[in-house]
Amino acid sequence: MFAKIKSFIQKFKDNKRFRDASKKIDEGYFKEAEKILIEIKNSPYVEKEMLFFNLAGALIGQDKLKEGEKYLHKAVEVEAEQDYIWATLAEVNVLQRKWDEAEKAINKAIELEPDKSFYEIKKEVICGSDELKEDYLKHFALLKEAIEEQKNENWKKSVEILREAVEHYDRTGYVYNQIGAIYNNNLDNKELAAQFFKKAIEKEPDNKIFQKNLKHVLK
């Protein structure tokens, strides 16, 4: 009985730490997330596929691209039928300019989820011109700069950087949605927030999150 109770408590603790790490990744605190995930890496109570996937995300966020790629491959070994793992593997290969590997990975993601138009958009970059590839990589670098400014609560500076990012690449609505969120949540300007949420929806008309964000600011 004592062993069962002890096991239950450990399971609760490990899964709470996993959730804490996931939150830190969402907030851009990649180093802190990595530390937590490494400590619970061998836990029998945390789903291995998601642990490896999130650990990869924490490493990639710190520009530890090869290490991140290694853990994505580990995630694939556990569960090879998850499209988002293959799509992330494509992304980390793009960041390393490993275009052939990126194409193989995005093709697998498309095979698993052919209705996700975002994957086709990513494939356009992977198989596109050298100019398009360089624009996308510059766009990605600027996104990272913007996240650092957000962590320091430099909201106006972050918006400036995000606006520059979409000058390089604007095929998705992600950056417009991020700008809208900053205007709504941090700069108290619902009018501009609505404008950018609308731009996000123009890029991705079926994105439920973008639609929900616009509906919220128009209340």
Side-chain angles (χ1 to χ4, degrees):
M1 177 64 74
F2 177 74
K4 287 184 177 180
I5 294 173
K6 185 178 179 181
S7 175
F8 175 81
I9 292 171
Q10 192 61 52
K11 181 178 180 179
F12 176 82
K13 287 181 177 178
D14 288 353
N15 279 281
K16 182 181 183 301
R17 298 192 74 198
F18 176 80
R19 292 192 298 272
D20 290 344
S22 299
K23 184 178 179 181
K24 288 189 180 296
I25 291 172
D26 290 340
E27 295 171 346
Y29 294 97
F30 303 113
K31 187 174 182 179
E32 294 86 343
E34 178 194 359
K35 184 176 184 296
I36 295 170
L37 293 168
I38 287 293
E39 289 173 354
I40 61 172
K41 186 175 68 170
N42 297 317
S43 170
Y45 306 114
V46 179
E47 187 178 349
K48 281 289 185 284
E49 164 207 336
M50 290 307 301
L51 190 146
F52 291 147
F53 178 75
N54 279 17
L55 182 51
L59 291 164
I60 293 165
Q62 299 173 75
D63 288 327
K64 299 178 180 178
L65 302 180
K66 288 184 178 180
E67 291 181 63
E69 183 182 357
K70 179 183 75 172
Y71 280 102
L72 288 172
H73 282 294
K74 284 180 176 288
V76 166
E77 289 172 7
V78 176
E79 176 52 76
E81 300 302 308
Q82 295 289 3
D83 61 287
Y84 61 86
I85 300 177
W86 288 103
T88 307
L89 188 56
E91 184 75 4
V92 76
N93 280 313
V94 165
L95 298 177
Q96 297 176 89
R97 301 174 186 269
K98 296 162 64 174
W99 304 108
D100 290 342
E101 291 88 339
E103 185 177 358
K104 290 175 185 176
I106 201 64
N107 281 340
K108 181 64 176 178
I110 292 169
E111 176 189 324
L112 293 168
E113 285 291 344
D115 294 331
K116 288 189 177 179
S117 59
F118 176 79
Y119 294 160
E120 292 289 353
I121 292 171
K122 182 55 61 68
K123 186 173 179 178
E124 289 176 9
V125 173
I126 294 168
C127 300
S129 67
D130 289 343
E131 182 181 2
L132 177 58
K133 291 172 181 176
E134 292 304 319
D135 278 342
Y136 180 81
L137 291 170
K138 179 61 176 176
H139 158 91
F140 190 91
L142 288 166
L143 292 187
K144 291 191 64 178
E145 287 184 31
I147 290 171
E148 290 304 311
E149 296 296 342
Q150 290 168 29
K151 287 194 286 187
N152 294 319
E153 299 186 1
N154 296 328
W155 305 112
K156 290 183 179 179
K157 181 63 175 177
S158 179
V159 167
E160 288 177 15
I161 295 170
L162 290 171
R163 283 176 178 265
E164 184 181 351
V166 294
E167 291 177 7
H168 291 277
Y169 181 80
D170 72 341
R171 286 283 284 116
T172 71
Y174 173 79
V175 175
Y176 293 118
N177 183 69
Q178 291 296 303
I179 296 172
I182 291 173
Y183 275 123
N184 183 49
N185 300 328
N186 308 107
L187 297 178
D188 195 28
N189 191 326
K190 291 187 181 298
E191 183 178 346
L192 278 176
Q195 289 180 24
F196 281 97
F197 288 143
K198 287 177 182 177
K199 285 186 177 182
I201 292 170
E202 286 174 10
K203 296 294 180 181
E204 298 181 48
D206 298 326
N207 191 302
K208 302 298 184 184
I209 294 174
F210 300 168
Q211 294 170 9
K212 180 180 177 182
N213 289 342
L214 178 60
K215 184 178 180 180
H216 177 74
V217 297
L218 292 178
K219 283 183 179 178

